[in-house]
Amino acid sequence: MTPTPAATPKSPWPWGRSVAGEGFAHRRVRWAMYAMMVLLAVLSLLRAWRIGQSEAMRQMDMEIIQAAAEQGTLTQRLGAHAAQLALLHHQPQPVVAPLSDTLALSLLQAQHLEELLARQAQATGTADGAMRAALQEWRRQRETLWYRVQAVLWQLQRQDVGAAANAVGVLQSALDGSLQANAALVGEVQRAARARSDQALVQVRWFTGFAVLLFIVLALLVVEPTARAVRRQYLALSRQTERLTRLARVAELSSNAIAITDAKHRVEWINAAFAQLTGFTQAKAQGRRIGTLLKARSADPARFAEFYAALRQNQGIKREIRIATRKAELGWVLVDMQPISDEDGTLNGWVLVATDMTEVRAQQQVLRLAVDGAGLGIWHWDMVTDTIHCNDRFLATLGYMPGELNMAAASWFDLIHPDDQPHWQESLRHHLRDPDTPHRLSVRARHRAGRWVWMLFTGNVADRDVQGRALRMAGVAMDVNAQKAMEQQLRVAARTDGLTQLPNRTVVVEKIRQAIDRHRAQPGYNFAVLFMDFDRFKQVNDTLGHTVGDELLRQIARRLQDSLRPGDSFVHTSDFAQMAARIGGDEFVVLLDDIRGDLDAEIVASRLLDVLAAPYQVEGHRVSSTVSIGIVTSTHAELDADSVLRDADIAMYEAKRSGRARYAMFDPAMRQRVNASVSLENDLRQALTLGQMFVVYQPVVQLGSHALLGVEALVRWQHPQRGLVSPADFIPVAEACGLIDALGQFVLQRACSTFEQLQQQLGPLAPPSMAVNLSRAQLRQPRLVADILDAVRAHNMAPQQLVLEVTESLAAQDKEVQQTLRDIRALGVGLSLDDFGTGYSSLSCLHELPVNAVKIDRSFVSQAGQSEYHRVLIDATLRVARALGLGTVAEGIETPEQAAQMLAMGCERGQGYWFSRPMEASALVAWVQAGGVPGPATPST
């Protein structure tokens, strides 16, 4: 029946059945001691002087027998520990310490027994052959047993469970021989003692009376205490038996399935785990053959046949097999079935231990799928044999099939690229010296096809000996070719302009820095930096779209590549110092390396001006775009690359300021002008909030009658230190830094407010209209029309009383601007085309512009008296304006002759210093009230 928790299970172990024999041994020892006491009594009667010697011999015999018995006990204890290890081979740690302690005690007790035997041999002076043979055999078996125990402990220390299990099996096989040798030694000792007792009995016959008396005395003083000592030994053995019983109890409660059979394979005992795994209770399994039970649950006939064959051959076997559990589920178990033999080697039974491996197998499968899914190669380096082991995925990464590579570590390491060998060795040394430092690095390995493959290796020391030396390393390897290729692409992308495939700003700065360093080290070395910006490129983007702009930039880059002489050539890699690059937008940089002097840079710049100015064909459009170039040579180069680029940029803007489509050589004075411009910009940003900006007004009059027809609002800046700053100085700065929008809003609001005040102060004499200039930034604002309408309404103006002036280039810029102008015109607000004749519009296109007045630029008015060309242009403009019903205004009239000439040519209105300079509102009121307009001009013939 299946043991219950309250019952003590029957001990299945063979050594648990020798307790009765040990009790018989106790009785024999007791009779032997009585015999020795009789001998001692007789000898004491024979010779007084031998009393002490006889007593010593008796005590010595007793100690030898006791020590020999203790040796047997310790041998049995080692066997018990070995049995525990066999049962708990997956968790051996609880048995290691008791096994070590028992071994140490056995060593100590054996030494004591040797000393006793030596003393006895010295005292008796004789030792027969049987005694010597028994003693030698006992010593040989003892040494063998100790060596097996030490082997088990060493394997456990290495945590090699499989090797430890094998060592335990060898230890168990050595136990029987040791026990037999120990028993033989005890028998020989007892035989010698009996011989001496027999000799004493001869003498006892002569002294019977004395023997009886001495027997009583010795029985009271010696025999009984000795018997009690033997009894204590017996009790110790009993306690050992109880421990073995508890071991059986542990087996009962173990989670591993355990079964014990007799020699005929019939089940004698199973634990609860076995019943739970197979569904066979103790009652059902009792007396059935273990092979039948295995067959009933086996899902793997081939493995079952192996177990059946092992049973027939009385051989142990350990295999993982697949079984059908009591729940009809398939699972994996590790079955370890070993024979149990008596002391004489007779097969006494079998013990079967089955460990459920289903969960372990599932985890291994998950791990295997994870490794395969991640594409990881697994490697293992046995440092003792200096061999490498790896999985098929690792070999496939290098293009090899299993068995094609030499598995020696040296051969494997030869596959690593020579340039990566030092890094590999250094990483390995650091890891072996400090386990916290990971062995992780990417190296190139030689593929079977001869190419190099980038692989990422990671590994750790998996095992060390007691001195800390590495015995085994294991890790994974991953193919990182794609990652390395991506890294290379990213490195190239980080140094290459994606649109033109030219080097980018990072490379330019690096190369300029190298040129600066070389110039400092070699005074005869010269270089030049050409900073190029394409004129009116933004207009191309705004009018034709960014797609056309991008293609234009690509064509510009190709022209740069094709046009430079071989001596000035550049390539878009980082291998050469000479190069051209795009650093952003429409800005390009050419670095000329090792030139003879500044003249070489000017020659190259002149050629680039011609080549890059030729028209481009971009997606069906003919595009013309000139370039402005700023040049910095090593003559005036600063000591850092950013400063060199800054100075080249300054020179480029100087070229633009000088008229575009040209180059300018940098000189330090340019930097001073830029610094002044930056200072002006900083002051301009505060001017509006500090109230430094104000508006002046210039009258617009009827040329015939000099009647006041309106005023034009013009912004001025009164700087506390600079004084009155010219609009020609701060208006370009405002446009460049983005303040022109806020400035335009300020002028619009202030002009409308002043117009309202003039109406109140001057009444009928007030100007009938107010003209305000619109900037490029304002025309791009989506709320411009709403802001104009709000300003007109806020100051009680009629829409037609406000005239907005736009330059010719803005009005003809693109459809979006023209639509904004139409929306303004729809409000009723007047539009005037300012500075006509200076832009790109032709007279034939004037009808397309949504304006109702044209202002002739002052440059034409000033030249009309001397230049027939300018007079013809003015006349044509006036004729077209009259034909289109547009009003005309002549700007910049400074003399009465100019006023008369414009009137004679048919111009209706005019403005200029001849009539009045721009005035503040209060001065304008006084000027109007004083009738300050000069007399009417007389038309010239």
Side-chain angles (χ1 to χ4, degrees):
M1 296 176 63
T2 303
T4 63
T8 301
K10 177 183 178 182
S11 174
W13 320 112
W15 51 84
R17 302 165 185 168
S18 62
V19 176
E22 290 171 357
F24 178 73
H26 284 299
R27 289 192 294 272
R28 288 186 300 172
V29 170
R30 176 172 296 181
W31 284 111
M33 287 190 297
Y34 279 122
M36 285 192 297
M37 286 188 294
V38 171
L39 178 61
L40 289 174
V42 172
L43 292 176
S44 65
L45 294 175
L46 291 175
R47 296 182 180 90
W49 61 271
R50 289 199 59 185
I51 293 176
Q53 182 179 5
S54 299
E55 182 65 16
M57 290 298 298
R58 186 187 62 79
Q59 291 291 340
M60 188 177 301
D61 289 338
M62 184 175 62
E63 290 180 8
I64 290 173
I65 293 172
Q66 184 176 356
E70 289 177 355
Q71 277 294 302
T73 301
L74 291 175
T75 301
Q76 293 176 350
R77 190 180 304 174
L78 289 174
H81 293 325
Q84 287 181 298
L85 285 175
L87 292 175
L88 303 176
H89 62 278
H90 287 291
Q91 296 179 345
Q93 295 304 320
V95 188
V96 172
L99 182 61
S100 299
D101 295 342
T102 303
L103 176 61
L105 184 58
S106 178
L107 291 171
L108 183 62
Q109 290 294 335
Q111 182 179 2
H112 177 60
L113 181 57
E114 289 281 359
E115 292 175 355
L116 291 176
L117 291 172
R119 285 166 51 191
Q120 185 185 62
Q122 184 178 5
T124 59
T126 58
D128 57 10
M131 183 67 178
R132 284 195 301 271
L135 182 58
Q136 290 176 356
E137 177 64 17
W138 172 75
R139 287 170 178 167
R140 187 181 67 81
Q141 292 293 340
R142 176 193 66 187
E143 294 297 330
T144 301
L145 178 65
W146 290 347
Y147 173 79
R148 301 303 183 191
V149 173
Q150 289 172 346
V152 170
L153 292 175
W154 183 72
Q155 295 295 345
L156 291 175
Q157 184 180 7
R158 290 181 64 238
Q159 298 182 359
D160 191 336
V161 177
N166 292 334
V168 168
V170 176
L171 171 60
Q172 289 177 335
S173 65
L175 285 172
D176 295 333
S178 179
L179 289 173
Q180 290 175 4
N182 190 78
L185 178 62
V186 172
E188 287 300 323
V189 171
Q190 290 175 347
R191 184 188 59 76
R194 284 195 297 269
R196 284 189 290 273
S197 297
D198 293 340
Q199 185 179 0
L201 287 175
V202 174
Q203 297 178 1
V204 167
R205 293 189 182 97
W206 298 92
F207 304 97
T208 303
F210 294 102
V212 174
L213 180 61
L214 289 176
F215 175 78
I216 296 173
V217 173
L218 291 175
L220 295 175
L221 300 179
V222 179
V223 176
E224 196 58 34
T226 304
R228 285 196 297 269
V230 175
R231 178 61 179 173
R232 286 193 298 270
Q233 181 182 357
Y234 171 76
L235 293 176
L237 293 175
S238 298
R239 286 192 295 271
Q240 179 182 351
T241 303
E242 292 177 1
R243 285 195 296 271
L244 293 176
T245 303
R246 286 195 295 272
L247 180 60
R249 182 60 176 168
V250 171
E252 168 63 28
L253 299 177
S254 173
S255 60
N256 292 331
I258 301 174
I260 305 296
T261 74
D262 59 14
K264 296 182 179 180
H265 313 148
R266 289 189 293 267
V267 174
E268 293 184 344
W269 176 85
I270 62 171
N271 67 351
F274 189 95
Q276 183 178 2
L277 180 67
T278 63
F280 293 104
T281 63
Q282 175 72 31
K284 291 181 179 179
Q286 186 78 33
R288 300 184 64 179
R289 293 185 179 275
I290 190 65
T292 304
L293 299 184
L294 290 176
K295 185 176 181 180
R297 291 301 181 190
S298 175
D300 191 345
R303 290 296 177 91
F304 168 75
E306 293 180 6
F307 278 90
Y308 203 72
L311 287 174
R312 289 197 306 269
Q313 299 171 10
N314 293 335
Q315 294 178 350
I317 186 172
K318 185 176 182 179
R319 294 285 189 277
E320 282 191 25
I321 62 172
R322 203 168 191 188
I323 66 169
T325 65
R326 61 182 300 178
K327 298 179 181 179
E329 298 175 352
L330 292 178
W332 286 93
V333 292
L334 175 63
V335 178
D336 185 5
M337 190 165 62
Q338 301 296 332
I340 303 174
S341 301
D342 288 336
E343 296 178 357
D344 57 359
T346 303
L347 181 65
N348 191 31
W350 293 80
V351 57
L352 180 146
V353 179
T355 304
D356 190 352
M357 302 294 291
T358 304
E359 185 65 26
V360 175
R361 280 275 189 157
Q363 293 176 357
Q364 290 175 346
Q365 180 66 16
V366 171
L367 179 59
R368 183 161 47 251
L369 292 175
V371 170
D372 291 342
L376 297 178
I378 301 175
W379 58 273
H380 166 248
W381 179 15
D382 188 339
M383 295 182 173
V384 178
T385 61
D386 203 29
T387 56
I388 298 289
H389 305 278
C390 61
N391 65 350
D392 294 345
R393 178 59 64 88
F394 188 106
L395 293 173
T397 303
L398 295 176
Y400 290 95
M401 297 295 291
E404 289 185 344
L405 272 177
N406 185 355
M407 305 308 290
S411 300
W412 271 92
F413 296 152
D414 285 343
L415 296 177
I416 298 176
H417 194 283
D419 293 343
D420 297 335
Q421 286 279 0
H423 305 296
W424 173 273
Q425 297 295 339
E426 182 180 3
S427 175
L428 189 60
R429 283 195 301 270
H430 284 317
H431 178 66
L432 293 178
R433 187 166 51 249
D434 181 11
D436 294 333
T437 302
H439 178 57
R440 177 186 177 90
L441 77 164
S442 296
V443 297
R444 287 161 291 181
R446 188 170 56 251
H447 192 272
R448 188 173 186 268
R451 67 177 187 272
W452 295 104
V453 178
W454 278 102
M455 298 187 69
L456 173 63
F457 284 86
T458 59
N460 289 284
V461 173
D463 195 11
R464 295 179 183 268
D465 61 14
V466 293
Q467 285 78 28
R469 291 189 297 267
L471 300 176
R472 183 167 56 91
M473 279 191 69
V476 298
M478 180 187 302
D479 183 353
V480 292
N481 258 338
Q483 178 181 340
K484 287 293 181 178
M486 180 62 69
E487 290 176 0
Q488 179 63 23
Q489 292 176 7
L490 292 177
R491 280 193 294 269
V492 172
R495 299 169 61 84
T496 305
D497 174 58
L499 181 63
T500 63
Q501 298 305 304
L502 293 176
N504 60 12
R505 183 183 182 90
T506 301
V507 182
V508 168
V509 171
E510 177 184 318
K511 295 303 180 182
I512 294 176
R513 186 180 299 116
Q514 293 174 0
I516 293 172
D517 294 341
R518 184 178 175 187
H519 177 68
R520 295 175 63 185
Q522 304 175 13
Y525 166 80
N526 296 298
F527 68 92
V529 175
L530 280 62
F531 194 107
M532 296 177 289
D533 184 90
F534 285 82
D535 304 323
R536 297 186 177 88
F537 178 78
K538 186 176 187 304
Q539 184 176 354
V540 174
N541 266 343
D542 293 341
T543 56
L544 301 179
H546 289 278
T547 302
V548 174
D550 290 346
E551 178 58 28
L552 176 60
L553 291 175
R554 282 190 284 267
Q555 292 191 23
I556 289 170
R558 285 194 290 272
R559 283 195 186 182
L560 281 173
Q561 292 173 307
D562 296 338
S563 63
L564 294 180
R565 292 195 312 269
D568 306 319
S569 64
F570 64 92
V571 293
H572 52 275
T573 69
S574 59
D575 296 331
F576 301 91
Q578 307 95 312
M579 61 180 303
R582 176 177 176 242
I583 62 174
D586 59 336
E587 296 177 339
F588 291 79
V589 171
V590 172
L591 174 63
L592 302 178
D593 179 70
D594 202 13
I595 61 175
R596 291 166 294 183
D598 295 356
L599 182 60
D600 286 347
E602 294 187 63
I603 293 173
V604 173
S606 297
R607 185 171 67 256
L608 289 177
L609 287 174
D610 295 336
V611 171
L612 298 176
Y616 299 84
Q617 290 295 329
V618 184
E619 297 189 2
H621 300 280
R622 181 181 175 86
V623 180
S624 296
S625 181
T626 58
V627 64
S628 298
I629 304 176
I631 305 174
V632 173
T633 66
S634 50
T635 304
H636 298 294
E638 291 288 325
L639 298 181
D640 65 280
D642 289 332
S643 297
V644 171
L645 285 176
R646 178 203 63 201
D647 292 343
D649 192 14
I650 292 173
M652 182 271 297
Y653 276 106
E654 185 69 18
K656 283 185 177 292
R657 192 180 66 83
S658 300
R660 297 188 175 93
R662 64 193 64 204
Y663 69 84
M665 298 290 292
F666 173 79
D667 66 76
M670 293 180 182
R671 191 184 304 124
Q672 296 175 1
R673 287 196 295 272
V674 170
N675 292 337
S677 177
V678 172
S679 176
L680 186 67
E681 177 185 334
N682 293 334
D683 292 344
L684 183 60
R685 291 184 181 277
Q686 304 179 39
L688 284 173
T689 57
L690 296 178
Q692 296 174 4
M693 309 302 296
F694 64 98
V695 179
V696 294
Y697 306 91
Q698 187 175 37
V700 177
V701 301
Q702 177 73 37
L703 289 180
S705 63
H706 285 192
L708 181 62
L709 298 180
V711 292
E712 180 181 0
L714 303 170
V715 66
R716 295 293 184 266
W717 180 13
Q718 183 65 46
H719 193 277
Q721 284 82 34
R722 303 174 189 269
L724 189 62
V725 182
S726 171
D729 293 333
F730 71 80
I731 291 297
V733 175
E735 290 178 342
C737 68
L739 291 174
I740 192 66
D741 182 35
L743 189 59
Q745 287 294 327
F746 165 76
V747 174
L748 176 63
Q749 294 294 333
R750 182 61 57 87
C752 293
S753 175
T754 300
F755 183 83
E756 183 180 17
Q757 295 174 8
L758 292 176
Q759 298 300 314
Q760 296 173 358
Q761 294 178 15
L762 297 176
L765 298 178
S769 66
M770 174 67 73
V772 179
N773 289 281
L774 285 181
S775 68
R776 180 195 307 270
Q778 286 178 286
L779 285 172
R780 296 291 183 188
Q781 292 296 323
R783 284 190 48 82
L784 176 62
V785 176
D787 290 341
I788 293 172
L789 184 59
D790 290 343
V792 169
R793 290 176 177 175
H795 299 288
N796 301 312
M797 293 177 66
Q800 61 271 18
Q801 290 178 317
L802 178 63
V803 178
L804 299 178
E805 297 185 0
V806 295
T807 62
E808 177 188 351
S809 59
L810 285 179
Q813 192 172 73
D814 56 35
K815 295 181 180 180
E816 182 181 351
V817 171
Q818 292 183 14
Q819 182 59 47
T820 301
L821 294 176
R822 291 188 185 94
D823 294 340
I824 294 174
R825 182 75 180 271
L827 296 177
V829 175
L831 289 175
S832 179
L833 192 62
D834 197 10
D835 300 332
F836 185 77
T838 62
Y840 294 95
S841 299
S842 65
L843 293 174
S844 62
C845 297
L846 190 59
H847 70 282
E848 298 177 357
L849 304 179
V851 297
N852 48 12
V854 177
K855 299 186 75 172
I856 302 172
D857 188 69
R858 66 179 66 248
S859 63
F860 289 88
V861 174
S862 64
Q863 297 293 326
Q866 298 84 22
S867 172
E868 179 67 22
Y869 170 75
H870 289 85
R871 285 196 300 271
V872 171
L873 288 178
I874 294 173
D875 183 65
T877 301
L878 294 173
R879 290 177 183 275
V880 172
R882 283 195 297 269
L884 296 176
L886 303 178
T888 56
V889 181
E891 292 183 303
I893 298 177
E894 298 181 354
T895 65
E897 291 79 14
Q898 291 175 349
Q901 185 179 21
M902 292 298 104
L903 178 60
M905 295 182 72
C907 186
E908 302 170 353
R909 292 173 288 179
Q911 69 180 101
Y913 283 3
W914 166 246
F915 304 111
S916 174
R917 290 178 177 271
M919 301 171 287
E920 294 189 50
S922 58
L924 176 63
V925 171
W927 182 83
V928 173
Q929 291 175 345
V933 180
T938 302
S940 61
T941 58

